[in-house]
């Protein structure tokens, strides 16, 4: 499933279920290093908001957000969940592979479950956290997993799997 801004978007009390051997979600928009404050250029492979619910089941779940470099690091948000939304990715045999970050806000919930295999998150996602309306002393954030407030993120690789979570501070300019 491909999209410019969001490959898969749920806004409101909707439920979505995707099942396949390989589930592949890719968003293409991305921000350059001098335009981090331009939210309209950011993208998410999967976005769930306002108490929506999303579930993907497959042997492998692949999410790519923004520009992905030769090493697999994505520079946007792979999974964006906010305002009571929930996203669950269950991989049966091959793991969950994310190029981009995981972001949960406003009591949002994200679960990455790999029954056999690894959960891998490769992120070069950059963002700004506004400190006030004048954007004085804004914080530049580089992250692979980011949760605020009452949000939660569960990453479970089962008994034999490994959770591999990496962030790279370099911008993908290749």
């Amino acid at each position: 499933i491909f999209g410019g801004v969001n490959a898969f978007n749920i806004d409101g009390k909707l439920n979505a279920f995707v099942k396949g051997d390989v589930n592949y979600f890719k968003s293409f928009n991305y921000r350059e290093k001098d335009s981090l404050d331009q939210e309209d250029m950011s993208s998410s492979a999967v976005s769930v908001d306002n108490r929506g619910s999303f579930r993907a089941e497959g042997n492998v779940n692949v999410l790519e957000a923004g520009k992905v470099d030769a090493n697999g690091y994505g520079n946007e948000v792979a999974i964006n969940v906010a305002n009571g939304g929930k996203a669950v990715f269950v991989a049966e045999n091959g793991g969950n592979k994310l190029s981009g970050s995981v972001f949960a806000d406003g009591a949002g919930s994200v679960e990455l479950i790999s029954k056999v295999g690894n959960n891998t998150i490769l992120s070069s996602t950059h963002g700004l956290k506004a400190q006030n309306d004048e954007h004085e002393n804004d914080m530049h954030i580089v992250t692979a997993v980011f949760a605020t407030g009452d949000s939660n993120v569960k990453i479970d690789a089962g008994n034999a799997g490994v959770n591999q979570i990496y962030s790279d501070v370099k911008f993908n300019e290749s």
Side-chain angles (χ1 to χ4, degrees):
I1 299 174
F2 300 95
V5 176
N6 297 316
F8 204 101
N9 186 52
I10 297 173
D11 189 355
K13 296 180 188 177
L14 301 172
N15 298 308
F17 177 69
V18 175
K19 187 171 184 169
D21 183 40
V22 176
N23 298 311
Y24 181 49
F25 305 91
K26 167 76 176 155
S27 65
F28 293 99
N29 279 17
Y30 62 91
R31 296 169 288 177
E32 299 291 345
K33 66 180 171 182
D34 59 350
S35 63
L36 290 177
D37 59 342
Q38 294 179 344
E39 290 297 320
D40 60 330
M41 291 303 298
S42 67
S43 67
S44 301
V46 173
S47 179
V48 183
D49 200 358
N50 295 319
R51 295 184 303 223
S53 176
F54 176 85
R55 184 177 181 92
E57 294 180 2
N59 284 320
V60 179
N61 294 307
V62 179
L63 293 91
E64 295 181 352
K67 187 185 280 187
V68 178
D69 71 9
N71 296 315
Y73 287 83
N75 72 349
E76 287 292 341
V77 180
I79 304 169
N80 183 13
V81 178
N83 301 314
K86 182 174 185 177
V88 178
F89 295 84
V90 179
E92 294 293 330
N93 294 310
N96 293 297
K97 302 173 186 331
L98 281 65
S99 295
S101 65
V102 174
F103 182 82
D105 187 26
S109 174
V110 176
E111 294 183 23
L112 294 174
I113 301 165
S114 180
K115 294 184 178 179
V116 177
N118 301 331
N119 291 308
T120 303
I121 302 171
L122 302 174
S123 173
S124 63
T125 306
H126 291 248
L128 290 178
K129 180 165 177 62
Q131 297 301 308
N132 55 46
D133 290 339
E134 290 79 34
H135 297 283
E136 296 171 356
N137 301 315
D138 285 353
M139 294 189 319
H140 182 189
I141 299 171
V142 181
T143 187
V145 179
F146 187 83
T148 64
D150 294 335
S151 300
N152 66 71
V153 177
K154 175 183 177 182
I155 303 172
D156 181 355
N159 292 332
V162 176
N163 292 316
Q164 303 170 20
I165 303 169
Y166 302 99
S167 63
D168 187 348
V169 74
K170 293 182 282 185
F171 279 89
N172 292 347
E173 298 180 305
S174 56

